[in-house]
Structure formats: C-alpha cells, structure tokens
Amino acid sequence: QVPKLQLLASQWWWKFTFHTGYEVLVQRLLEGKKMCKDVEDLLKQRAQAEERYGKELVQIARKAGGQTEINTLKAAFEMLKQQIESVGNSHIQLAVMLREELKGIEEFRERQKEQRKKYEAAMERMQKSKLSHYKKTMESKKTYEQKCKEADEAEQSFERTSASGNQKQTEKQKGSKIISGSEGGWCGDSKNSIRTFILLPAFPNL
C-alpha cells in the first residue's frame, strides 16, 4: 500500500507542469473585464436615454402654450410647466452623473488591464523557467536511471564472473589435495591396473 504522503507527492509531481489554477484566475479576470464593459455599455445607454428624455421634457415644457390664460389657472399651468422642466433637468443631471461614473469604471478597467498584463508577463516568465527546470530534471532523471541500470548490469556481471572464478579456484584446490594425498606420485586402480600421473600446477618441473 502506497503511503498517503507519497501518493500526494506523486500526484503533485504529475501535475507540476499544469497551470489550471492560474488559468482559472486569468479567465476570471477576463470575465471581470467583460463585466466592466457590460456595465459601461449599460450606463452609457441609460445616460443617453436619460439625457434624451430630459431634453424632450424640457422642450415640451418650454413649447407649451397657456399664455392667454389668467388668474389661478394660468398660475397652475405655469407651475405644471415648471415641474415638467424641473423633472427634465433632473434627468439631464442624472445623465451627467452616470457619465461621471462611467469615467471611473473605465479608469478602473484600464488599471486592471495594466496590472493583469504585468502579472501575466511575470507568470509567463516563471512558467517558462519552471518548464525549463522540469525538462532538465526529467533528462537528469533519465540519465540517472540509465546509469543505475548500467551499474546493476555491471554488478551482476561481476558477481557472475566472481562466482565462476571461485568455482575454478575450488576445483584447483580439490585437484591439489588429490595430488598432495598421493605425494606427487601416481595413483593406481587395482581393478583396471591403470597408472595415472597427475602433475601439481604449483610444481611444473616435476
């Protein structure tokens, strides 16, 4: 069973080159930029509508008649025109306020754009550096594994050679003991009457 810490480490290493979190943040910033643009468009259209409506109200109030009327009816009619013109001016003023808000949003969006570009450039440099180091690490790992494989093969070959040499040495030692037991002479087989001379390797002149 793989330990939990080792499993997490292996998963982290596998995702080392991933930029999912960063990409999500960048995407969210881009969505925020689009949202700012949508708010700007909405306020701009609202300001245009308010200005257009206010001007129309002012124009209606100023073009209204009623000059021939007298007494309280004339005063009431004049008050009505003033109220309409006042409402129109309020809408025009609201349009001006909305345009002021638009300027603030546009400035905010431009600042965010500059900040985003600055951080994107920094992150791009960091990502390139990280990928470069990761590539070098993988190449080093591959070289290390190859060297380890060669070392294992060399060790196994050495062990086989050592085992073969030990076996030959053992056979020599056994032969030397046989010669030593016969005092360097000959051994006879009474059944077959065969004489065999065995020379000691250590004494080639015998």
Side-chain angles (χ1 to χ4, degrees):
Q1 186 177 1
V2 180
K4 184 176 181 181
L5 183 60
Q6 183 178 352
L7 179 62
L8 291 174
S10 64
Q11 290 177 349
W12 175 84
W13 180 258
W14 179 65
K15 296 181 179 179
F16 181 74
T17 56
F18 284 13
H19 308 136
T20 305
Y22 170 72
E23 291 171 355
V24 170
L25 292 176
V26 171
Q27 182 62 33
R28 185 61 185 140
L29 289 174
L30 293 175
E31 291 173 356
K33 173 187 174 182
K34 185 178 183 302
M35 184 61 188
C36 287
K37 188 65 178 174
D38 292 341
V39 172
E40 288 177 27
D41 292 339
L42 175 63
L43 293 180
K44 187 180 295 184
Q45 293 176 14
R46 173 68 184 276
Q48 292 173 354
E50 292 289 345
E51 184 180 19
R52 183 169 56 251
Y53 180 59
K55 288 181 177 180
E56 287 179 357
L57 287 178
V58 171
Q59 187 176 7
I60 290 171
R62 291 178 178 177
K63 287 184 177 181
Q67 287 81 7
T68 59
E69 190 56 53
I70 59 174
N71 298 327
T72 56
L73 182 58
K74 181 177 182 180
F77 190 72
E78 290 294 328
M79 181 62 67
L80 178 61
K81 292 194 295 182
Q82 291 176 7
Q83 290 295 328
I84 293 174
E85 185 174 356
S86 178
V87 171
N89 289 326
S90 297
H91 283 282
I92 293 173
Q93 184 63 31
L94 177 58
V96 174
M97 293 173 62
L98 290 174
R99 288 193 174 93
E100 290 295 327
E101 290 296 326
L102 273 173
K103 292 180 180 179
I105 296 176
E106 289 175 355
E107 291 175 358
F108 172 77
R109 180 168 55 83
E110 289 299 323
R111 288 196 305 269
Q112 288 296 100
K113 180 179 179 181
E114 294 175 0
Q115 291 292 327
R116 186 178 67 254
K117 285 185 176 180
K118 182 174 69 175
Y119 285 114
E120 283 179 351
M123 286 299 298
E124 185 177 358
R125 290 193 300 269
M126 292 176 64
Q127 288 174 2
K128 286 182 179 179
S129 177
K130 182 177 72 173
L131 291 175
S132 176
H133 284 85
Y134 176 77
K135 184 178 179 181
K136 291 179 181 178
T137 303
M138 290 296 99
E139 291 175 354
S140 299
K141 179 184 176 184
K142 185 177 179 181
T143 303
Y144 172 75
E145 291 175 348
Q146 182 64 29
K147 295 294 182 181
C148 288
K149 183 178 179 182
E150 293 175 357
D152 291 340
E153 292 176 352
E155 185 176 357
Q156 293 175 2
S157 177
F158 175 75
E159 290 176 354
R160 288 194 297 268
T161 304
S162 298
S164 177
N166 291 335
Q167 185 177 1
K168 291 181 180 180
Q169 185 67 24
T170 303
E171 292 176 355
K172 286 183 179 180
Q173 290 176 358
K174 288 181 179 179
S176 298
K177 288 180 180 179
I178 294 174
I179 298 301
S180 177
S182 61
E183 296 182 354
W186 54 274
C187 299
D189 189 343
S190 59
K191 293 182 179 181
N192 298 322
S193 300
I194 299 174
R195 295 179 178 181
T196 306
F197 290 92
I198 303 176
L199 298 179
L200 287 172
F203 304 97
N205 295 326
L206 291 179

